[in-house]
Amino acid sequence: MSLFKLEPHLSTEIIERVKRLNTTLISDALGCTGSMDYKIKPVATGMRVIGTAITVSLRPGDNLFLHQAIYSGQEGYVQVVDGKGHTANAYLGELMAGAAKAMGLEGIVIDGLVRDKEALCELNFPIFAKGFIPNGPLKDGPGEINIPISCGGVSVHPGDLIVGDEDGAVVVPREKINDTLAKAEKKLGYEEQRLET
């Protein structure tokens, strides 16, 4: 039972279209915007994430509400976490990442640090973060789930499209998804044509 209302996850058709694209094409289609802070990168090479945003706002250094969000998560959703740029503590490690994978989440994007790098790389679960630190988090709260947040300097609303790959993470506002994908697909076609000549 979820503690908060989930926005409907994006359709399989939209997700399949996004799988043929990448963050650079999507950002170009958004007018070279939508990208989170350049420090937010996958914790391991080859990680890619696509899904519908569940947003989490945390108190700096505290991950209580991230726990709650993970255990309410499900397939099709990406957790997008505003860690307020805090760099003295990790927000999650191996155990929470394993729980998120077990719940069926598509991945986690966090404006903050994580830990247990080796284990996170082996887990093969997409996590995007600003880096690593051994210090663990506090667990007192407060926090909020599924409200508009800022992550890596970009506004994120529950239900937005989240796409992450080696270049970073991009947010597509829900109301702009169809238009953005159409532009990105057109650019992909143009680029493929140019590469063939």
Side-chain angles (χ1 to χ4, degrees), residues 74-91:
Q74 54 185 267
E75 201 173 320
Y77 292 92
V78 178
Q79 292 204 322
V80 186
V81 186
D82 179 7
K84 311 295 189 294
H86 181 81
T87 55
N89 303 82
Y91 282 107

Side-chain angles (χ1 to χ4, degrees), residues 23-35 170-173 176-177 179-180 183-184:
T23 55
T24 56
L25 286 164
I26 291 167
S27 173
D28 285 354
L30 285 166
C32 300
T33 65
S35 300
V170 173
V171 182
V172 183
K176 291 185 177 177
I177 290 172
D179 181 53
T180 301
K183 286 178 181 172

Side-chain angles (χ1 to χ4, degrees), residues 33-68:
T33 65
S35 300
M36 292 183 188
D37 186 294
Y38 73 95
K39 291 179 186 160
I40 297 176
K41 292 286 189 286
V43 300
T45 301
M47 285 186 172
R48 194 157 189 249
V49 69
I50 300 167
T52 310
I54 295 175
T55 60
V56 188
S57 177
L58 300 178
R59 181 168 73 87
D62 189 289
N63 77 349
L64 179 66
F65 276 70
L66 181 54
H67 274 275
Q68 292 186 10

